[in-house]
């Protein structure tokens, strides 16, 4: 029965599992490229001059930080995407529980879905990561970070790392997402599938609070350290803040969305409906907001460090170091942005019956499109608000220690570009699935879902 359930779910929720496969593909690509780059910084067989150049530039340390960051981002995004995919099946899982399916059959079916979506994507990502690593290596040689004699070597060591991060993480996320729900009584499961789950759970809330408090404590401690040490610890503060935002997502995103919605709700009926949709389903929309928070937080932090240093000292650091930092940040941001777009598209597709019902009761196409656009504005605004707060909290101790001011210096084009990119991404990820649903007859969509 478990295999049959998995096949049925894959057919019924194709967009959700396409999204999961895409997340696994990019996770494997980033991890594969980072792992191969770490291997390329080895000094075996190189001349003494080349070894000195690699050591002096700190390339191995930078590659290790990039690998740790890529593993963290991959786990974070894959767990979020897979959790959303499983949550969208709660109604079907509750129904099969009511007709006699056992909890272990539910979990086996969900694990089968995860494996079917992640294994092919991971293998493709491993190969794609090799091409990214080769380009990355050429850039490091061109910027003087690596000696020309340090040739690129394709490494099979990256394959088990990719499988461990993408496949194992996807499967564990699926099992954990389905564990509690599979153990509920069928009547309770049906009720929760209809109304949604309230609360964060016994572990998620305290762990999220610990992560945020830990980030604040580390930030305060860094403010008392020399500038170089504070800069090295900034990555830990950023990660802790992002982990806390992910764990506390529904609780944080609700109030943040309320602030954004208070402004949006003044722009007519479609805007008010969008505001109510986001505020009434914080758990669902938090899965899309959190990856965007990562994009904004990482982008503003990494760029802010260099632009502020440039403003105060006239130098943002060596050309190679800045290039490598920006490439890594761009890779993380692109990965998280794709994950957010995936999640928003999954959410929009799963609401196709609701969209069709709006059309059946008389809503015009323009009104439905406007509602979807305002939802994108609320999601983007919430992500920008939280991501900016995280970036400022991360940068404050570094900048106050180094330059005597906690506020970063950012050219207007940087925040404007990040805000415009975030908004464009949410508009496309929300609007395209809605437009696809509206191309079909509304009554056909209602009867088929």
């Amino acid at each position: 029965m478990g295999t049959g359930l998995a096949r049925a779910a894959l057919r019924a929720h194709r967009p959700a599992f396409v999204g999961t496969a895409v997340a696994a593909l990019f996770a494997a690509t980033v991890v594969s490229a980072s792992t191969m780059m770490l291997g390329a910084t080895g000094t075996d067989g190189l001349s003494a001059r080349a070894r000195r150049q690699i050591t002096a530039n700190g390339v191995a340390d930078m590659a290790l930080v990039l690998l740790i960051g890529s593993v963290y981002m991959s786990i974070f995004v894959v767990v979020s995407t897979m959790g959303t995919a499983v949550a969208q099946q709660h109604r079907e899982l509750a129904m099969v529980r009511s007709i006699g399916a056992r909890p272990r059959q539910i979990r086996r079916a969900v694990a089968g879905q995860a494996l079917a979506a992640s294994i092919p994507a991971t293998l493709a990502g491993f190969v794609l990561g090799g091409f990214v690593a080769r380009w990355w290596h050429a850039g490091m040689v061109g910027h003087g970070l690596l000696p020309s004699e340090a040739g690129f070597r394709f490494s099979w060591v990256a394959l088990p790392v990719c499988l461990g991060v993408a496949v194992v993480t996807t499967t564990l996320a699926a099992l954990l997402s389905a564990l509690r729900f599979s153990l509920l009584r069928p009547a309770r499961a049906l009720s929760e599938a209809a109304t949604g789950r309230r609360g964060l759970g016994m572990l998620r809330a305290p762990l999220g609070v610990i992560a945020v408090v830990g980030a604040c404590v580390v930030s305060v401690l860094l403010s008392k350290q020399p500038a170089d040490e504070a800069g090295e610890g900034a990555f830990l503060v950023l990660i802790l803040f992002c982990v806390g935002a992910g764990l506390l997502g529904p609780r944080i995103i609700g109030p943040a969305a309320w602030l954004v919605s208070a402004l949006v709700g003044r722009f007519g009926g479609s805007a008010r409906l969008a505001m109510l949709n986001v505020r009434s389903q914080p758990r669902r929309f938090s899965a899309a907001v959190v990856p965007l928070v990562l994009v904004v937080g990482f982008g503003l932090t990494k760029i802010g460090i260099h632009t502020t240093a440039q403003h105060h000292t006239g130098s943002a650091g060596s050309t190679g170091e800045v290039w490598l930092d920006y490439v890594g940040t761009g890779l993380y941001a692109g990965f998280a942005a794709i994950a957010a777009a995936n999640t928003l598209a999954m959410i929009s597709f799963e609401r196709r019956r609701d969209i069709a019902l709006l059309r059946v009761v008389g809503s015009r196409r323009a009104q439905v499109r406007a509602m979807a656009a305002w939802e994108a504005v609320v999601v983007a605004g919430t992500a920008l608000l939280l991501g900016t707060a995280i970036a400022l909290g991360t940068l404050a101790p570094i900048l106050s220690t180094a330059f005597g001011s906690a506020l970063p210096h950012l050219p207007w084009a940087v925040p404007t570009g990040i805000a415009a990119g975030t908004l464009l991404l949410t508009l496309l990820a929300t609007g395209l699935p809605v437009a696809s649903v509206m191309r079909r007859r509304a009554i056909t969509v209602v009867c088929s879902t």
Side-chain angles (χ1 to χ4, degrees), residues 132 156 179 210 306 337 342:
V132 174
W156 287 94
L179 177 62
I210 290 171
H306 293 299
N342 267 339

Side-chain angles (χ1 to χ4, degrees), residues 53-63 65-66 136 139-146 227-229 231-232 302-303 305-307 309 315-330 398:
Q53 181 180 349
I54 292 175
T55 302
N57 290 331
V59 176
D61 292 337
M62 289 189 283
V65 170
L66 289 170
W136 208 343
M140 292 180 75
V141 172
H143 286 85
L145 294 171
L146 285 175
D228 291 342
E229 295 182 15
E232 292 173 0
K302 290 295 186 179
I303 296 173
I305 289 175
H306 293 299
T307 56
S315 173
S318 68
T319 304
E321 182 182 351
V322 174
W323 175 85
L324 184 60
D325 218 3
Y326 282 170
V327 167
T329 301
I398 307 169

Side-chain angles (χ1 to χ4, degrees), residues 266-284:
R266 301 179 181 182
F267 291 90
S270 296
R272 286 193 294 272
L273 182 56
M275 172 190 72
L276 292 173
N277 284 340
V278 176
R279 287 170 57 181
S280 65
Q281 303 177 72
R283 181 179 289 273
R284 172 184 286 181

